[in-house]
Protein backbone atom coordinates (compact mmCIF):
# COMPACT_ATOMS: atom_id res chain seq x y z
CA UNK A 1 0.00 0.00 0.00
CA UNK A 2 1.21 3.47 -0.88
CA UNK A 3 -0.19 6.62 0.72
CA UNK A 4 -0.19 9.58 -1.65
CA UNK A 5 0.18 12.99 -0.08
CA UNK A 6 -2.98 15.05 -0.67
CA UNK A 7 -5.10 12.00 -1.45
CA UNK A 8 -7.82 10.71 0.82
CA UNK A 9 -6.80 7.20 1.77
CA UNK A 10 -4.37 4.51 0.64
CA UNK A 11 -4.16 3.02 -2.84
CA UNK A 12 -2.79 -0.23 -4.33
CA UNK A 13 -0.42 -0.38 -7.30
CA UNK A 14 -0.16 -4.14 -7.84
CA UNK A 15 -2.35 -3.87 -10.94
CA UNK A 16 -2.63 -0.09 -11.10
CA UNK A 17 -3.51 3.07 -9.24
CA UNK A 18 -6.94 4.62 -8.94
CA UNK A 19 -6.99 8.25 -7.88
CA UNK A 20 -9.47 8.80 -5.02
CA UNK A 21 -10.11 12.29 -6.37
CA UNK A 22 -10.22 11.96 -10.14
CA UNK A 23 -10.81 8.26 -10.67
CA UNK A 24 -7.86 7.95 -13.08
CA UNK A 25 -6.46 4.45 -13.40
CA UNK A 26 -2.89 3.85 -14.61
CA UNK A 27 -1.16 0.45 -15.03
CA UNK A 28 1.48 -0.35 -12.43
CA UNK A 29 4.45 -0.40 -14.87
CA UNK A 30 3.65 3.19 -15.86
CA UNK A 31 3.74 4.31 -12.24
CA UNK A 32 7.04 2.50 -11.72
CA UNK A 33 8.58 4.08 -14.84
CA UNK A 34 7.31 7.51 -13.85
CA UNK A 35 8.66 7.22 -10.31
CA UNK A 36 12.01 5.85 -11.47
CA UNK A 37 12.26 8.61 -14.07
CA UNK A 38 11.92 11.23 -11.33
CA UNK A 39 14.36 9.44 -9.05
CA UNK A 40 16.80 9.00 -11.92
CA UNK A 41 16.65 12.72 -12.67
CA UNK A 42 17.38 13.59 -9.04
CA UNK A 43 20.19 11.02 -8.86
CA UNK A 44 21.86 12.19 -12.08
CA UNK A 45 21.64 15.83 -10.97
CA UNK A 46 22.90 15.21 -7.43
CA UNK A 47 25.69 12.72 -8.14
CA UNK A 48 26.87 13.53 -11.66
CA UNK A 49 26.01 17.22 -11.97
CA UNK A 50 26.73 19.04 -8.73
CA UNK A 51 30.41 19.82 -8.28
CA UNK A 52 31.41 18.43 -11.69
CA UNK A 53 33.78 20.65 -13.64
CA UNK A 54 35.53 20.56 -16.97
CA UNK A 55 34.77 18.95 -20.32
CA UNK A 56 34.51 15.27 -21.14
CA UNK A 57 36.56 14.41 -24.23
CA UNK A 58 35.71 11.26 -26.18
CA UNK A 59 38.21 10.25 -28.85
CA UNK A 60 36.51 8.88 -31.96
CA UNK A 61 39.63 7.88 -33.88
CA UNK A 62 43.07 6.53 -33.13
CA UNK A 63 46.51 7.66 -34.29
CA UNK A 64 46.66 4.93 -36.97
CA UNK A 65 43.17 5.42 -38.42
CA UNK A 66 43.05 6.32 -42.11
CA UNK A 67 40.18 8.76 -41.54
CA UNK A 68 40.59 11.12 -38.58
CA UNK A 69 37.41 12.20 -36.81
CA UNK A 70 37.41 15.17 -34.43
CA UNK A 71 37.01 14.40 -30.75
CA UNK A 72 33.57 14.69 -29.18
CA UNK A 73 33.78 17.26 -26.38
CA UNK A 74 30.85 17.61 -23.96
CA UNK A 75 30.63 20.08 -21.08
CA UNK A 76 30.18 17.73 -18.13
CA UNK A 77 27.86 19.64 -15.78
CA UNK A 78 25.48 21.09 -18.44
CA UNK A 79 25.17 17.71 -20.12
CA UNK A 80 24.19 15.96 -16.88
CA UNK A 81 21.56 18.64 -16.21
CA UNK A 82 20.09 18.13 -19.69
CA UNK A 83 20.11 14.36 -19.16
CA UNK A 84 18.32 14.78 -15.82
CA UNK A 85 15.70 16.99 -17.46
CA UNK A 86 15.08 14.39 -20.17
CA UNK A 87 14.72 11.64 -17.56
CA UNK A 88 12.19 13.74 -15.66
CA UNK A 89 10.32 14.41 -18.91
CA UNK A 90 10.17 10.70 -19.75
CA UNK A 91 8.78 9.90 -16.32
CA UNK A 92 6.16 12.62 -16.54
CA UNK A 93 5.20 11.59 -20.08
CA UNK A 94 4.62 8.01 -19.04
CA UNK A 95 2.47 9.12 -16.14
CA UNK A 96 0.34 11.53 -18.17
CA UNK A 97 -0.15 9.36 -21.25
CA UNK A 98 -0.49 6.02 -19.49
CA UNK A 99 2.65 4.48 -20.97
CA UNK A 100 1.16 1.84 -23.22
CA UNK A 101 3.59 0.58 -25.86
CA UNK A 102 6.26 3.21 -25.14
CA UNK A 103 7.09 2.03 -21.60
CA UNK A 104 9.87 -0.38 -22.62
CA UNK A 105 11.32 2.15 -25.08
CA UNK A 106 11.35 4.87 -22.41
CA UNK A 107 13.07 2.56 -19.93
CA UNK A 108 15.73 1.57 -22.45
CA UNK A 109 16.40 5.12 -23.58
CA UNK A 110 16.44 6.35 -19.98
CA UNK A 111 18.99 3.73 -18.95
CA UNK A 112 21.19 4.53 -21.94
CA UNK A 113 21.02 8.23 -21.09
CA UNK A 114 21.91 7.56 -17.45
CA UNK A 115 24.91 5.46 -18.53
CA UNK A 116 26.05 8.22 -20.88
CA UNK A 117 25.73 10.77 -18.05
CA UNK A 118 27.86 8.48 -15.91
CA UNK A 119 30.51 8.29 -18.64
CA UNK A 120 30.56 12.07 -18.97
CA UNK A 121 30.94 12.44 -15.20
CA UNK A 122 33.76 9.87 -15.08
CA UNK A 123 35.58 11.51 -18.01
CA UNK A 124 35.19 15.13 -16.87
CA UNK A 125 38.52 16.90 -17.32
CA UNK A 126 40.04 13.86 -19.04
CA UNK A 127 40.18 12.12 -22.42
CA UNK A 128 38.52 8.80 -23.13
CA UNK A 129 38.79 6.56 -26.22
CA UNK A 130 35.19 5.79 -27.09
CA UNK A 131 36.23 3.82 -30.16
CA UNK A 132 38.55 1.65 -28.08
CA UNK A 133 35.80 0.91 -25.59
CA UNK A 134 33.36 -0.05 -28.34
CA UNK A 135 36.00 -2.32 -29.84
CA UNK A 136 36.58 -3.94 -26.45
CA UNK A 137 32.81 -4.26 -25.99
CA UNK A 138 32.54 -6.32 -29.16
CA UNK A 139 35.44 -8.54 -28.14
CA UNK A 140 34.13 -9.19 -24.64
CA UNK A 141 30.62 -9.85 -25.90
CA UNK A 142 31.81 -12.80 -28.02
CA UNK A 143 31.82 -15.61 -25.38
CA UNK A 144 28.54 -14.32 -23.93
CA UNK A 145 26.88 -14.12 -27.35
CA UNK A 146 28.07 -17.58 -28.38
CA UNK A 147 27.08 -19.02 -25.00
CA UNK A 148 23.64 -17.49 -25.48
CA UNK A 149 23.48 -18.91 -29.01
CA UNK A 150 24.31 -22.37 -27.63
CA UNK A 151 21.42 -21.94 -25.20
CA UNK A 152 19.08 -20.86 -28.01
CA UNK A 153 19.89 -23.95 -30.09
CA UNK A 154 19.19 -26.19 -27.10
CA UNK A 155 16.10 -24.51 -25.68
CA UNK A 156 14.45 -24.14 -29.07
CA UNK A 157 14.17 -27.94 -28.96
CA UNK A 158 13.05 -27.80 -25.29
CA UNK A 159 16.34 -28.78 -23.59
CA UNK A 160 17.61 -26.46 -20.86
CA UNK A 161 21.38 -26.23 -21.18
CA UNK A 162 22.68 -25.17 -17.79
CA UNK A 163 26.02 -26.76 -18.71
CA UNK A 164 27.12 -23.87 -20.94
CA UNK A 165 29.58 -22.72 -18.28
CA UNK A 166 31.20 -26.16 -18.17
CA UNK A 167 31.31 -26.37 -21.96
CA UNK A 168 33.01 -22.97 -22.13
CA UNK A 169 35.58 -24.10 -19.59
CA UNK A 170 36.16 -27.39 -21.43
CA UNK A 171 36.63 -25.53 -24.71
CA UNK A 172 39.11 -23.14 -23.12
CA UNK A 173 41.07 -26.04 -21.62
CA UNK A 174 41.13 -28.07 -24.84
CA UNK A 175 42.10 -25.00 -26.85
CA UNK A 176 45.07 -24.26 -24.59
CA UNK A 177 46.27 -27.85 -24.35
CA UNK A 178 45.90 -28.87 -27.99
CA UNK A 179 46.90 -25.42 -29.23
CA UNK A 180 50.18 -25.82 -27.38
CA UNK A 181 50.71 -29.25 -28.93
CA UNK A 182 49.56 -28.90 -32.53
CA UNK A 183 48.98 -25.17 -33.11
CA UNK A 184 46.13 -22.69 -32.97
CA UNK A 185 43.87 -24.27 -35.59
CA UNK A 186 44.29 -27.70 -34.02
CA UNK A 187 43.39 -26.25 -30.63
CA UNK A 188 40.33 -24.56 -32.10
CA UNK A 189 39.06 -27.76 -33.72
CA UNK A 190 39.74 -29.67 -30.50
CA UNK A 191 37.75 -27.13 -28.47
CA UNK A 192 34.78 -27.48 -30.82
CA UNK A 193 34.93 -31.29 -30.66
CA UNK A 194 35.21 -31.35 -26.87
CA UNK A 195 32.23 -29.02 -26.59
CA UNK A 196 30.29 -31.29 -28.94
CA UNK A 197 31.14 -34.33 -26.79
CA UNK A 198 29.74 -32.67 -23.69
CA UNK A 199 26.69 -31.56 -25.68
CA UNK A 200 26.13 -35.18 -26.74
CA UNK A 201 26.55 -36.35 -23.12
CA UNK A 202 23.97 -33.79 -21.98
CA UNK A 203 21.59 -34.95 -24.70
CA UNK A 204 22.03 -38.58 -23.68
CA UNK A 205 21.35 -37.77 -20.03
CA UNK A 206 18.23 -35.69 -20.57
CA UNK A 207 16.75 -37.17 -23.76
CA UNK A 208 17.45 -40.90 -23.50
CA UNK A 209 17.67 -41.34 -19.74
CA UNK A 210 15.31 -38.42 -18.94
CA UNK A 211 17.49 -37.09 -16.15
CA UNK A 212 16.44 -33.78 -14.63
CA UNK A 213 17.87 -31.18 -17.01
CA UNK A 214 18.97 -28.75 -14.31
CA UNK A 215 20.81 -31.46 -12.37
CA UNK A 216 22.44 -32.79 -15.55
CA UNK A 217 23.80 -29.34 -16.34
CA UNK A 218 25.14 -28.86 -12.81
CA UNK A 219 26.83 -32.28 -12.93
CA UNK A 220 28.66 -31.42 -16.15
CA UNK A 221 29.72 -28.03 -14.78
CA UNK A 222 31.14 -29.54 -11.60
CA UNK A 223 32.86 -32.35 -13.48
CA UNK A 224 34.59 -30.00 -15.92
CA UNK A 225 35.57 -27.58 -13.16
CA UNK A 226 37.09 -30.38 -11.11
CA UNK A 227 39.05 -31.97 -13.96
CA UNK A 228 40.39 -28.70 -15.38
CA UNK A 229 41.33 -27.36 -11.94
CA UNK A 230 43.25 -30.55 -11.13
CA UNK A 231 45.17 -30.58 -14.41
CA UNK A 232 45.87 -26.86 -14.18
CA UNK A 233 47.33 -27.11 -10.69
CA UNK A 234 49.10 -30.45 -11.00
CA UNK A 235 50.21 -30.65 -14.65
CA UNK A 236 50.33 -27.18 -16.18
CA UNK A 237 52.23 -25.80 -13.21
CA UNK A 238 54.99 -28.37 -13.79
CA UNK A 239 54.96 -28.76 -17.58
CA UNK A 240 54.45 -25.19 -18.65
CA UNK A 241 55.00 -25.71 -22.36
CA UNK A 242 51.67 -27.56 -22.43
CA UNK A 243 49.95 -24.30 -21.53
CA UNK A 244 51.45 -21.91 -24.06
CA UNK A 245 49.11 -21.75 -27.03
CA UNK A 246 49.31 -19.24 -29.91
CA UNK A 247 46.71 -16.47 -30.09
CA UNK A 248 44.67 -15.53 -33.16
CA UNK A 249 45.52 -11.92 -33.90
CA UNK A 250 43.17 -9.25 -35.18
CA UNK A 251 42.76 -8.97 -38.93
CA UNK A 252 41.57 -5.72 -40.47
CA UNK A 253 39.16 -5.99 -43.39
CA UNK A 254 40.30 -3.59 -46.13
CA UNK A 255 38.17 -0.46 -46.69
CA UNK A 256 35.53 -1.49 -44.13
CA UNK A 257 38.07 -1.35 -41.33
CA UNK A 258 38.76 2.32 -42.14
CA UNK A 259 35.19 3.46 -41.42
CA UNK A 260 35.29 5.79 -38.40
CA UNK A 261 34.04 4.31 -35.10
CA UNK A 262 32.23 1.35 -36.73
CA UNK A 263 35.30 0.05 -38.58
CA UNK A 264 37.47 -0.75 -35.54
CA UNK A 265 34.46 -2.18 -33.70
CA UNK A 266 33.29 -4.62 -36.39
CA UNK A 267 35.97 -4.93 -39.06
CA UNK A 268 39.27 -4.91 -37.17
CA UNK A 269 38.82 -7.96 -34.97
CA UNK A 270 40.07 -11.50 -34.64
CA UNK A 271 38.58 -14.73 -35.94
CA UNK A 272 36.19 -15.20 -33.01
CA UNK A 273 34.35 -11.91 -33.53
CA UNK A 274 33.79 -12.54 -37.22
CA UNK A 275 32.74 -16.13 -36.56
CA UNK A 276 30.27 -15.03 -33.87
CA UNK A 277 28.56 -12.61 -36.25
CA UNK A 278 28.37 -15.25 -38.96
CA UNK A 279 27.02 -17.88 -36.55
CA UNK A 280 24.29 -15.55 -35.32
CA UNK A 281 23.24 -14.77 -38.91
CA UNK A 282 23.28 -18.43 -39.95
CA UNK A 283 21.37 -19.55 -36.85
CA UNK A 284 18.73 -16.88 -37.40
CA UNK A 285 18.21 -17.90 -41.01
CA UNK A 286 18.18 -21.59 -40.09
CA UNK A 287 15.67 -21.34 -37.24
CA UNK A 288 13.21 -18.95 -38.86
CA UNK A 289 13.58 -19.39 -42.62
CA UNK A 290 14.20 -23.10 -43.24
CA UNK A 291 12.12 -26.23 -43.02
CA UNK A 292 14.48 -27.92 -40.57
CA UNK A 293 14.44 -24.86 -38.34
CA UNK A 294 10.64 -24.93 -38.31
CA UNK A 295 10.74 -28.57 -37.29
CA UNK A 296 13.19 -27.78 -34.49
CA UNK A 297 10.91 -25.05 -33.14
CA UNK A 298 7.93 -27.38 -33.42
CA UNK A 299 9.78 -29.90 -31.23
CA UNK A 300 10.31 -27.18 -28.66
CA UNK A 301 6.72 -25.96 -28.70
CA UNK A 302 4.71 -29.17 -29.05
CA UNK A 303 6.79 -32.36 -29.37
CA UNK A 304 3.74 -34.64 -29.41
CA UNK A 305 2.27 -32.86 -32.42
CA UNK A 306 5.66 -32.85 -34.13
CA UNK A 307 5.97 -36.60 -33.53
CA UNK A 308 2.58 -37.28 -35.12
CA UNK A 309 3.76 -35.41 -38.23
CA UNK A 310 6.75 -37.73 -38.58
CA UNK A 311 9.46 -35.59 -36.96
CA UNK A 312 11.93 -37.63 -34.91
CA UNK A 313 11.87 -35.71 -31.61
CA UNK A 314 14.77 -37.59 -30.04
CA UNK A 315 17.03 -37.21 -33.06
CA UNK A 316 16.22 -33.51 -33.41
CA UNK A 317 17.07 -32.87 -29.76
CA UNK A 318 20.31 -34.84 -29.98
CA UNK A 319 21.47 -32.90 -33.03
CA UNK A 320 20.68 -29.45 -31.67
CA UNK A 321 22.07 -30.04 -28.19
CA UNK A 322 25.28 -31.41 -29.71
CA UNK A 323 25.49 -28.38 -32.01
CA UNK A 324 24.93 -26.14 -29.01
CA UNK A 325 27.82 -27.84 -27.26
CA UNK A 326 30.07 -27.29 -30.27
CA UNK A 327 29.20 -23.59 -30.33
CA UNK A 328 29.93 -23.36 -26.60
CA UNK A 329 33.26 -25.15 -27.11
CA UNK A 330 34.18 -22.64 -29.81
CA UNK A 331 33.24 -19.82 -27.43
CA UNK A 332 35.45 -21.36 -24.76
CA UNK A 333 38.43 -21.31 -27.11
CA UNK A 334 38.12 -17.51 -27.15
CA UNK A 335 39.43 -17.34 -23.59
CA UNK A 336 42.71 -19.01 -24.53
CA UNK A 337 43.25 -18.85 -28.30
CA UNK A 338 41.59 -15.48 -28.74
CA UNK A 339 42.79 -13.70 -25.63
CA UNK A 340 45.68 -14.74 -23.39
CA UNK A 341 47.10 -17.97 -24.89
CA UNK A 342 47.03 -19.93 -21.63
CA UNK A 343 44.52 -21.66 -19.39
CA UNK A 344 43.85 -20.57 -15.82
CA UNK A 345 41.61 -22.23 -13.28
CA UNK A 346 37.99 -21.04 -13.57
CA UNK A 347 38.95 -18.47 -16.19
CA UNK A 348 35.46 -18.33 -17.76
CA UNK A 349 34.27 -16.37 -14.72
CA UNK A 350 30.59 -17.26 -15.01
CA UNK A 351 30.26 -16.13 -18.64
CA UNK A 352 28.15 -19.20 -19.37
CA UNK A 353 25.55 -18.13 -16.83
CA UNK A 354 25.62 -14.57 -18.16
CA UNK A 355 25.05 -16.11 -21.60
CA UNK A 356 21.89 -17.76 -20.27
CA UNK A 357 20.72 -14.37 -19.02
CA UNK A 358 21.45 -12.88 -22.45
CA UNK A 359 19.45 -15.67 -24.07
CA UNK A 360 16.43 -14.89 -21.88
CA UNK A 361 16.83 -11.15 -22.36
CA UNK A 362 17.01 -11.75 -26.11
CA UNK A 363 13.80 -13.80 -25.96
CA UNK A 364 15.35 -16.99 -27.31
CA UNK A 365 16.31 -15.31 -30.60
CA UNK A 366 19.92 -15.31 -31.90
CA UNK A 367 19.89 -11.60 -32.82
CA UNK A 368 18.27 -10.64 -29.52
CA UNK A 369 20.86 -12.71 -27.67
CA UNK A 370 23.67 -10.90 -29.51
CA UNK A 371 22.18 -7.52 -28.62
CA UNK A 372 21.89 -8.54 -24.97
CA UNK A 373 25.47 -9.85 -25.02
CA UNK A 374 26.64 -6.43 -26.22
CA UNK A 375 25.03 -4.89 -23.13
CA UNK A 376 26.97 -7.24 -20.86
CA UNK A 377 30.12 -6.81 -22.94
CA UNK A 378 29.79 -3.05 -22.55
CA UNK A 379 29.55 -3.40 -18.77
CA UNK A 380 32.59 -5.69 -18.80
CA UNK A 381 34.73 -3.34 -20.89
CA UNK A 382 33.49 -0.27 -18.99
CA UNK A 383 34.92 -1.43 -15.69
CA UNK A 384 38.38 -1.77 -17.24
CA UNK A 385 38.27 1.62 -18.95
CA UNK A 386 37.07 3.38 -15.79
CA UNK A 387 39.91 1.83 -13.82
CA UNK A 388 42.34 3.49 -16.25
CA UNK A 389 40.58 6.85 -15.80
CA UNK A 390 41.16 6.72 -12.06
CA UNK A 391 37.53 7.23 -11.00
CA UNK A 392 36.83 7.33 -7.26
CA UNK A 393 34.77 4.13 -7.52
CA UNK A 394 36.61 1.19 -5.85
CA UNK A 395 37.99 -1.36 -8.31
CA UNK A 396 36.07 -4.16 -6.58
CA UNK A 397 32.78 -2.46 -7.42
CA UNK A 398 33.90 -1.89 -10.99
CA UNK A 399 34.67 -5.60 -11.35
CA UNK A 400 31.13 -6.36 -10.18
CA UNK A 401 29.52 -4.36 -12.99
CA UNK A 402 28.90 -7.24 -15.49
CA UNK A 403 27.20 -9.31 -12.80
CA UNK A 404 25.19 -6.35 -11.51
CA UNK A 405 24.02 -5.75 -15.07
CA UNK A 406 22.98 -9.41 -15.25
CA UNK A 407 20.89 -9.15 -12.08
CA UNK A 408 19.25 -5.90 -13.22
CA UNK A 409 18.38 -7.27 -16.64
CA UNK A 410 17.02 -10.60 -15.44
CA UNK A 411 15.13 -9.18 -12.46
CA UNK A 412 13.78 -5.96 -13.87
CA UNK A 413 13.92 -5.71 -17.66
CA UNK A 414 13.15 -9.14 -19.07
CA UNK A 415 9.42 -8.77 -18.51
CA UNK A 416 7.17 -11.62 -19.49
CA UNK A 417 9.58 -13.38 -21.83
CA UNK A 418 7.98 -16.63 -22.93
CA UNK A 419 10.24 -19.66 -23.42
CA UNK A 420 9.32 -22.51 -25.78
CA UNK A 421 6.22 -24.22 -24.40
CA UNK A 422 7.87 -27.61 -23.81
CA UNK A 423 11.14 -26.19 -22.45
CA UNK A 424 12.62 -28.42 -19.77
CA UNK A 425 10.01 -31.16 -20.16
CA UNK A 426 11.14 -34.69 -21.07
CA UNK A 427 9.35 -36.38 -23.94
CA UNK A 428 8.23 -40.00 -23.81
CA UNK A 429 7.29 -41.51 -27.13
CA UNK A 430 4.11 -43.56 -27.02
Amino acid sequence: LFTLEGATGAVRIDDGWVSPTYGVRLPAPVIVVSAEGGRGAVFVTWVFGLGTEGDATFRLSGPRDAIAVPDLVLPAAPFTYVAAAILAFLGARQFVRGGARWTALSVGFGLALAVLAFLVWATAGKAFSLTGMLQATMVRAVPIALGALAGVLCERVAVINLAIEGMLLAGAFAGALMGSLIGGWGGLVSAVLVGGVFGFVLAALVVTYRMDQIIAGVVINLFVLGVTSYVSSQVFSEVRWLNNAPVFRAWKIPVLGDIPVIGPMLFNQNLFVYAALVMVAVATYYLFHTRHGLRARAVGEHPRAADTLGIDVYRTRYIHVTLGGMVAGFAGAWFTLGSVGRFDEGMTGGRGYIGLAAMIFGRWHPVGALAAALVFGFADSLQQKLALLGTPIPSEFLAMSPYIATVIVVAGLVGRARPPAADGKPYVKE
Side-chain angles (χ1 to χ4, degrees):
L1 293 178
F2 284 73
T3 302
L4 302 182
E5 186 175 352
T8 57
V11 293
R12 289 185 180 273
I13 66 164
D14 50 355
D15 293 323
W17 167 57
V18 179
S19 168
T21 305
Y22 301 103
V24 178
R25 184 181 188 279
L26 294 176
V30 177
I31 297 174
V32 173
V33 171
S34 301
E36 294 305 321
R39 293 175 183 175
V42 173
F43 179 82
V44 168
T45 302
W46 183 265
V47 177
F48 302 149
L50 298 179
T52 302
E53 299 178 354
D55 295 335
T57 302
F58 296 95
R59 296 196 183 99
L60 301 181
S61 60
R64 298 182 180 179
D65 291 349
I67 302 176
V69 178
D71 296 340
L72 176 63
V73 181
L74 298 174
F79 179 85
T80 54
Y81 295 144
V82 172
I86 295 175
L87 288 173
F89 168 76
L90 290 175
R93 182 179 182 277
Q94 292 298 311
F95 188 83
V96 172
R97 296 196 175 185
R101 59 180 178 175
W102 299 109
T103 301
L105 182 61
S106 296
V107 171
F109 181 74
L111 285 176
L113 192 61
V115 171
L116 185 56
F118 171 73
L119 281 177
V120 170
W121 167 79
T123 318
K126 305 170 186 175
F128 180 80
S129 177
L130 184 61
T131 301
M133 191 187 68
L134 293 177
Q135 189 175 17
T137 295
M138 195 68 208
V139 171
R140 294 188 171 276
V142 166
I144 301 174
L146 291 177
L149 180 60
V152 169
L153 291 174
C154 295
E155 297 208 13
R156 278 293 178 177
V157 294
V159 174
I160 298 175
N161 188 355
L162 201 66
I164 295 176
E165 177 72 10
M167 294 175 182
L168 290 178
L169 198 59
F173 176 81
L177 177 61
M178 300 307 296
S180 302
L181 292 174
I182 58 178
W185 287 103
L188 184 61
V189 172
S190 301
V192 172
L193 293 177
V194 168
V197 168
F198 280 105
F200 184 84
V201 170
L202 176 64
L205 292 175
V206 303
V207 176
T208 301
Y209 298 103
R210 293 190 289 277
M211 183 178 179
D212 183 274
Q213 296 180 7
I214 303 298
I215 295 177
V218 172
V219 167
I220 292 177
N221 288 340
L222 294 177
F223 173 78
V224 174
L225 178 61
V227 171
T228 56
S229 298
Y230 174 80
V231 175
S232 178
S233 61
Q234 300 297 321
V235 178
F236 285 171
S237 60
E238 299 294 334
V239 190
R240 299 193 177 186
W241 62 270
L242 289 177
N243 192 18
N244 187 24
V247 176
F248 287 96
R249 301 299 179 184
W251 178 70
K252 181 180 177 180
I253 298 179
V255 181
L256 294 178
D258 294 327
I259 300 175
V261 183
I262 300 298
M265 179 181 177
L266 297 178
F267 306 114
N268 189 11
Q269 300 283 6
N270 61 19
L271 168 70
F272 292 91
V273 176
Y274 298 135
L277 296 176
V278 171
M279 287 183 186
V280 168
V282 171
T284 301
Y285 179 80
Y286 165 73
L287 287 173
F288 300 98
H289 300 282
T290 66
R291 180 180 59 183
H292 294 290
L294 177 61
R295 290 178 176 178
R297 289 186 288 126
V299 169
E301 295 291 342
H302 203 308
R304 181 84 49 202
D307 195 4
T308 59
L309 294 176
I311 300 174
D312 191 333
V313 175
Y314 292 164
R315 182 172 177 269
T316 301
R317 289 185 174 179
Y318 261 94
I319 291 175
H320 285 79
V321 175
T322 302
L323 285 175
M326 295 174 71
V327 172
F330 181 87
W334 173 89
F335 291 93
T336 49
L337 300 178
S339 182
V340 296
R342 56 172 287 114
F343 179 83
D344 294 313
E345 183 177 347
M347 68 183 308
T348 52
R351 295 303 189 277
Y353 301 114
I354 298 178
L356 285 174
M359 175 197 67
I360 298 172
F361 189 32
R363 297 180 183 272
W364 290 267
H365 193 288
V367 176
L370 174 61
L374 289 174
V375 174
F376 298 120
F378 177 81
D380 198 0
S381 63
L382 181 62
Q383 56 99 5
Q384 289 196 344
K385 296 296 182 180
L386 291 180
L388 296 177
L389 287 175
T391 57
I393 304 175
S395 60
E396 293 80 6
F397 286 96
L398 292 177
M400 291 165 54
S401 57
Y403 309 101
I404 294 176
T406 304
V407 173
I408 293 175
V409 165
V410 174
L413 299 181
V414 171
R416 297 183 179 180
R418 189 187 71 84
D423 197 17
K425 301 176 183 177
Y427 176 69
V428 181
K429 185 178 179 63
E430 295 182 353

